[in-house]
Amino acid sequence: MPSTQHIAIAGGGPGGLYAAALLKRLDPTRHVTLWERNAPDDTFGFGVVLSDETLGGIEHADPVVHEALREEFVRWEDIDIVHRGDRHTSSGHGFAALGRRRL
């Protein structure tokens, strides 16, 4: 008889939360404990930004979560660099962002 896995995750940021949810979804018999030192409504930073490559990994691992995120994200593909009044645009970089609390 296989033993039950016990997994502890330190940190309830976006990576920790998603890791805990995905580990439990992939094997519901796992006991997953998430440790976070801050209050549930605390937030730090301006938001969460994910590349298209990262979103592709999420889509592969969890299509339901990917679809929910896709509906919420603000997307862009250009990065502007402004130096001494000169603007340079680099295109073809897929990124998406959303507020931490919403995530």
Side-chain angles (χ1 to χ4, degrees), residues 6-72:
H6 293 268
I7 300 169
I9 297 174
L17 288 173
Y18 189 63
L22 189 56
L23 285 164
K24 186 69 172 180
R25 180 170 300 178
L26 292 173
D27 184 351
T29 66
R30 290 177 173 144
H31 291 139
V32 180
T33 303
L34 181 81
W35 297 93
E36 173 56 46
R37 66 181 174 180
N38 296 308
D41 289 337
D42 287 348
T43 184
F44 304 95
F46 296 98
V48 177
V49 178
L50 301 171
S51 69
D52 279 350
E53 184 176 352
T54 299
L55 289 172
I58 293 171
E59 181 179 25
H60 177 74
D62 192 338
V64 173
V65 167
H66 178 266
E67 182 63 24
L69 290 174
R70 193 177 67 77
E71 293 176 6
E72 297 287 332

